[in-house]
């Protein structure tokens, strides 16, 4: 049976305008408008609830974010849905599900002002969340799409917690536990972190051919006010002598989205495009702080977008800074045996191994939501899992 799909497009023009159209399974369409005042009110609410960068921003999220307690998180999800999500579209989704007996796929192309909205969490009807009714993915702009990746390989390239020179960026995952080691063994050990994994190694591995790439580490997002989304940076083990567009940061040179896009084209006459140096496999996971922040820009050419441009068909990234397991231990008092970030990494890896990764990841999020509803424990809070966003072509 064909999965019913509805495409939702949003645009900022003072007010926010949206249109939706069913493009598979059924026919239908609709339009909506969000007044500027309502848009500002709810995006400000959301911004105040999200974890910030750095220790102070993360501490504030654990201490007083609306996302840390179930009742306040539900009020936020209700306010977002009330302002941003058309009741008519919810009714259509319910009708389609009832008629076809299949949960539809909602493909959202958000405007920059709502790019960090966790659409899956929207309380579209009492405590019914959008993820209860549908699978959700983010549709990338047409300008980013190019030919799909081709690979005859079944390899998975893992870049887990690469050692960053200079000592300013510490471990994200902490001491690898048995679950992480099992993940590495399952994929042949290619790219296990706490080691030197630089851009040359990454390029060589990707050019050998791969089915998937999983990166877990540090990302530095570009400031939205600067308008240069291509300045987003992936931190690997590249020393200061490495050639690249990013400035040296405390003893190392990050790999920027601009590098992934342009490669060496502007460096020499025989330069090579980034897509030839770092060809992206069909599925990419970037688990790092605000790794999917591209769509906050009017011209989205950040890290997730660069992977799409370089051949990926699907990229799972994060909308905001994600708390590490250590943050849960230090700021929420969880025992060291609790590893929420590791669980998220394993869930994304498992989803990307399935025929329908969007549905598989949504199933995991529905499981997390069920735990959040049942016990309201901080490790089940969408502070972490609500950040996930899957971009698709």
């Amino acid at each position: 049976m064909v999965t019913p799909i509805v495409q939702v497009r949003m645009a900022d023009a003072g007010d926010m305008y949206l249109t939706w159209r069913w493009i598979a399974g059924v026919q239908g369409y609709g339009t909506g408008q969000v007044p500027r005042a309502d848009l500002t009110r709810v995006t400000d609410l959301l911004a105040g609830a999200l974890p910030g960068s750095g220790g102070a921003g993360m501490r504030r999220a654990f201490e007083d974010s609306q996302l840390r307690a179930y009742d306040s998180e539900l009020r936020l999800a209700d306010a977002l849905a009330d302002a941003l999500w058309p009741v008519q579209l919810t009714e259509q989704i319910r009708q389609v599900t009832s008629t076809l007996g299949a949960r539809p796929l909602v493909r959202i192309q958000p405007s920059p002002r709502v790019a960090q909205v966790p659409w899956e969490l929207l309380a579209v009807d009492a405590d019914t969340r959008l993820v209860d009714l549908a699978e959700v993915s983010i549709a990338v702009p047409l300008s980013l799409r190019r030919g799909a990746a081709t690979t005859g390989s079944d390899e998975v390239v893992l870049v887990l917690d690469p050692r960053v020179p200079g000592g300013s960026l510490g471990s994200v995952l902490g001491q690898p536990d048995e679950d992480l080691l099992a993940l590495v063994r399952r994929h042949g050990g290619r790219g296990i972190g706490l080691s030197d994994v630089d851009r040359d190694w990454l390029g060589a591995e990707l050019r050998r051919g791969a089915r998937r790439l999983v990166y877990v580490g540090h990302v530095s997002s570009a400031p939205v006010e600067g308008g240069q989304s291509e300045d987003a940076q992936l931190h690997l083990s590249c020393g200061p002598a490495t050639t690249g567009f990013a400035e040296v940061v405390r003893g190392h040179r990050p790999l920027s989205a601009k590098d992934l896009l342009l490669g060496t084209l502007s460096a020499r006459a025989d330069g090579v495009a980034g897509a030839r140096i770092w060809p992206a496999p069909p599925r990419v996971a970037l688990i790092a702080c605000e790794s999917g922040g591209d769509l906050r820009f009017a011209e989205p050419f950040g890290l997730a977008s660069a992977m799409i441009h370089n051949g990926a068909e699907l990229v799972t990234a994060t909308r905001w800074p994600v708390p590490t397991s250590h943050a849960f231990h230090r700021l929420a008092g969880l025992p060291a045996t609790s590893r929420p970030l590791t669980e998220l990494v394993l869930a994304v890896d498992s989803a990307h191994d399935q025929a329908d990764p969007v549905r598989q990841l949504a199933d995991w999020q529905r499981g997390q939501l069920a735990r959040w509803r049942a016990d309201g424990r901080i490790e089940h809070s969408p502070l972490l899992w609500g950040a996930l966003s899957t971009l698709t072509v």
Side-chain angles (χ1 to χ4, degrees), residues 109-167:
Q109 190 170 320
S111 68
R113 293 190 66 183
V114 294
Q116 286 188 301
V117 170
W119 302 102
E120 297 84 355
L121 289 175
L122 297 193
V124 294
D125 180 10
D127 189 17
T128 301
R129 310 302 184 99
L130 184 57
V131 74
D132 291 322
L133 303 179
E135 327 296 356
V136 181
S137 70
I138 301 301
V140 300
L142 289 171
S143 59
L144 296 180
R145 303 177 189 178
R146 62 186 296 273
T150 56
T151 175
S153 170
D154 201 41
E155 296 286 353
V156 177
V157 177
L158 296 178
V159 182
L160 302 182
D161 229 355
R163 186 187 66 82
V164 180

Side-chain angles (χ1 to χ4, degrees), residues 93-125:
I93 290 172
R94 287 186 180 279
Q95 183 177 7
V96 167
T97 302
S98 175
T99 302
L100 299 182
R103 185 183 281 118
L105 171 64
V106 179
R107 288 171 46 86
I108 300 173
Q109 190 170 320
S111 68
R113 293 190 66 183
V114 294
Q116 286 188 301
V117 170
W119 302 102
E120 297 84 355
L121 289 175
L122 297 193
V124 294
D125 180 10

Side-chain angles (χ1 to χ4, degrees), residues 66-67 69-81 85 90 93-94 103 106 118-136 362 365-366 368-374 376 380-382 385-386:
Q66 283 186 267
L67 294 174
Y70 185 77
D71 290 344
S72 59
E73 183 271 324
L74 178 57
R75 288 195 296 272
L76 175 61
D78 182 69
L80 290 169
W85 196 255
T90 301
I93 290 172
R94 287 186 180 279
R103 185 183 281 118
V106 179
W119 302 102
E120 297 84 355
L121 289 175
L122 297 193
V124 294
D125 180 10
D127 189 17
T128 301
R129 310 302 184 99
L130 184 57
V131 74
D132 291 322
L133 303 179
E135 327 296 356
V136 181
Q365 290 182 309
R366 282 186 280 268
Q368 293 297 102
L369 179 58
R371 296 182 181 94
W372 180 229
R373 284 170 168 144
H380 301 142
S381 162
W385 60 265

Side-chain angles (χ1 to χ4, degrees), residues 42-336:
V42 295
T43 53
D44 285 350
L45 275 175
L46 177 62
L50 297 182
S53 58
M58 196 60 67
R59 186 178 303 109
R60 176 185 55 79
F62 275 89
E63 291 175 352
D64 59 18
S65 167
Q66 283 186 267
L67 294 174
R68 72 176 306 278
Y70 185 77
D71 290 344
S72 59
E73 183 271 324
L74 178 57
R75 288 195 296 272
L76 175 61
D78 182 69
L80 290 169
D82 186 59
L84 303 177
W85 196 255
V87 173
Q88 301 94 321
L89 180 51
T90 301
E91 293 173 348
Q92 289 180 13
I93 290 172
R94 287 186 180 279
Q95 183 177 7
V96 167
T97 302
S98 175
T99 302
L100 299 182
R103 185 183 281 118
L105 171 64
V106 179
R107 288 171 46 86
I108 300 173
Q109 190 170 320
S111 68
R113 293 190 66 183
V114 294
Q116 286 188 301
V117 170
W119 302 102
E120 297 84 355
L121 289 175
L122 297 193
V124 294
D125 180 10
D127 189 17
T128 301
R129 310 302 184 99
L130 184 57
V131 74
D132 291 322
L133 303 179
E135 327 296 356
V136 181
S137 70
I138 301 301
V140 300
L142 289 171
S143 59
L144 296 180
R145 303 177 189 178
R146 62 186 296 273
T150 56
T151 175
S153 170
D154 201 41
E155 296 286 353
V156 177
V157 177
L158 296 178
V159 182
L160 302 182
D161 229 355
R163 186 187 66 82
V164 180
S168 60
L169 295 175
S171 171
V172 169
L173 292 169
Q175 186 66 29
D177 60 11
E178 183 53 37
D179 287 335
L180 276 177
L181 294 176
L183 171 67
V184 174
R185 289 193 295 269
R186 186 163 64 253
H187 294 315
R190 294 178 65 187
I192 177 60
L194 301 177
S195 61
D196 291 332
V197 176
D198 63 14
R199 67 190 66 196
D200 293 334
W201 179 93
L202 178 61
E205 290 295 298
L206 293 176
R207 290 193 299 274
R208 284 176 54 188
R211 178 170 54 92
R212 298 202 286 111
L213 166 65
V214 179
Y215 172 87
V216 184
H218 289 284
V219 159
S220 295
S221 59
V224 174
E225 57 272 17
Q228 303 295 314
S229 59
E230 67 273 17
D231 289 341
Q233 300 170 351
L234 195 74
H235 296 275
L236 299 169
S237 305
C238 307
T242 303
T243 300
F245 286 102
E247 297 293 328
V248 173
V249 179
R250 295 184 293 275
H252 77 286
R253 192 183 302 276
L255 178 66
S256 70
K258 192 172 184 179
D259 290 312
L260 292 173
L261 291 164
L262 297 182
T264 58
L265 286 176
S266 63
R268 57 179 191 260
D270 60 345
V272 178
R276 290 180 57 190
I277 301 174
W278 300 284
R283 296 179 181 180
V284 174
L286 300 175
I287 310 302
C289 288
E290 209 175 341
S291 54
D294 313 29
L295 298 183
R296 298 181 67 195
F297 293 80
E299 296 292 338
F301 290 104
L303 294 168
S305 301
M307 291 294 177
I308 295 286
H309 177 271
N310 286 10
E313 299 166 3
L314 177 149
V315 178
T316 297
T318 66
R319 299 177 172 107
W320 58 71
V322 290
T324 63
S325 295
H326 178 67
F328 279 95
H329 302 158
R330 182 170 55 90
L331 300 174
L334 292 190

